[in-house]
């Protein structure tokens, strides 16, 4: 059973940085790894992902500020130059053997 556990969220000031981590257990090799976020009253949106075959892709709203990376069984999201509109619950997602797995989410609040 694939399980995902996120960590690293919290309160950060505008312009600050934070790194989120997602530890993936029970995996034999995920095809896709991604980070999504959901702000209050809004739909969950795709923020950054590593597709099958490698490389990285980003939503326009975070391009140049966020970086997704993967090291063995951990997926990271480095978030720089944070803005209040980045406030959301951030979720890690992987796709493996045709199934999609989600983490429980970690709250990031950008506020002075």
């Amino acid at each position: 059973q694939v399980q995902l556990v996120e960590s690293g969220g919290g309160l950060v000031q505008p312009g600050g940085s934070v790194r989120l981590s997602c530890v993936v257990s029970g995996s034999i090799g995920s095809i896709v790894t991604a980070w999504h976020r959901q702000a209050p009253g809004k739909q969950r949106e795709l923020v950054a992902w590593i597709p099958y075959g490698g490389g990285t892709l980003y939503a326009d709203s975070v391009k140049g500020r966020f970086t997704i990376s993967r090291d063995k069984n951990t997926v990271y999201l480095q978030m720089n130059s944070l803005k209040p509109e980045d406030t959301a619950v951030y979720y890690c997602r992987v796709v493996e053997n045709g199934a999609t797995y989600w983490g429980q989410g970690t709250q990031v609040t950008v506020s002075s």
Side-chain angles (χ1 to χ4, degrees):
Q1 180 71 19
V2 177
Q3 293 184 324
L4 287 68
V5 178
E6 300 106 331
S7 62
L11 176 64
V12 60
Q13 291 188 340
S17 299
V18 68
R19 188 177 78 161
L20 305 182
S21 300
C22 173
V23 177
V24 183
S25 61
S27 172
I28 59 172
S30 300
I31 294 176
V32 174
T33 54
W35 285 95
H36 295 246
R37 68 184 180 187
Q38 187 167 18
K42 295 188 177 181
Q43 290 189 333
R44 191 172 297 188
E45 63 173 346
L46 180 58
V47 173
W49 65 104
I50 301 174
Y52 178 73
T56 55
L57 296 168
Y58 299 93
D60 287 343
S61 58
V62 307
K63 199 173 295 183
R65 300 189 298 120
F66 290 11
T67 303
I68 186 173
S69 61
R70 182 172 56 199
D71 180 20
K72 295 180 181 179
N73 67 330
T74 302
V75 185
Y76 301 98
L77 185 67
Q78 178 67 44
M79 305 162 62
N80 299 327
S81 302
L82 283 163
K83 305 175 182 179
E85 51 264 42
D86 294 319
T87 295
V89 178
Y90 285 74
Y91 298 90
C92 181
R93 173 177 69 93
V94 302
V95 178
E96 183 169 320
N97 291 331
T100 297
Y101 302 90
W102 291 89
Q104 82 288 353
T106 184
Q107 176 72 45
V108 174
T109 301
V110 184
S111 175
S112 55

